């Protein structure tokens, strides 16, 4: 049941993201969209059991600056293979 819980949340999160990023490729949205999607997706179920629950998605901003002076800023970039 734990794996089903995780899988359902991952599918809903991936479907909601209207871009491709890293290994998460979306055929309808082949490019990155840092303007709208530079954020973390947070997901959870609104009830204890997957069969009865709805997936709730929330978002949190990415911390894009180092938290101390020892590390320099590394800007986001498209992965090119």
């Amino acid at each position: 049941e734990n794996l089903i819980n995780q899988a359902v949340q991952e599918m809903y999160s991936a479907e909601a993201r209207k871009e491709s990023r890293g290994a998460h490729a979306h055929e309808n949205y082949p490019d990155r969209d840092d303007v709208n999607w530079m954020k973390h997706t947070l997901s959870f179920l609104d009830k204890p059991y997957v069969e009865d629950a709805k997936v709730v998605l929330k978002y949190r901003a990415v911390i894009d600056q180092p938290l101390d002076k020892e590390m320099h800023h590394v800007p986001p970039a498209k992965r090119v293979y």
Side-chain angles (χ1 to χ4, degrees):
E1 176 139 352
N2 202 17
L3 291 175
I4 293 172
N5 179 330
Q6 177 63 34
V8 167
Q9 291 181 60
E10 190 167 342
M11 288 187 305
Y12 273 81
S13 297
E15 184 181 36
R17 191 170 276 268
K18 307 298 183 205
E19 66 155 7
S20 289
R21 182 173 297 269
H24 292 278
H26 201 305
E27 289 180 0
N28 295 336
Y29 305 96
D31 299 319
R32 267 175 73 135
D33 181 3
D34 287 346
V35 172
N36 295 306
W37 287 102
M38 184 61 75
K39 55 188 171 185
H40 295 291
T41 303
L42 309 173
S43 66
F44 61 92
L45 298 178
D46 66 352
K47 293 184 180 166
Y49 297 104
V50 175
E51 309 84 49
D52 305 324
K54 291 184 181 179
V55 176
V56 178
L57 299 178
K58 294 191 176 190
Y59 301 96
R60 180 176 65 87
V62 171
I63 299 171
D64 66 346
Q65 296 295 322
L67 299 177
D68 60 29
K69 303 262 187 235
E70 294 181 25
M71 183 65 191
H72 64 281
H73 172 66
V74 178
K78 183 177 182 178
R79 292 182 189 176
V80 180
Y81 300 102

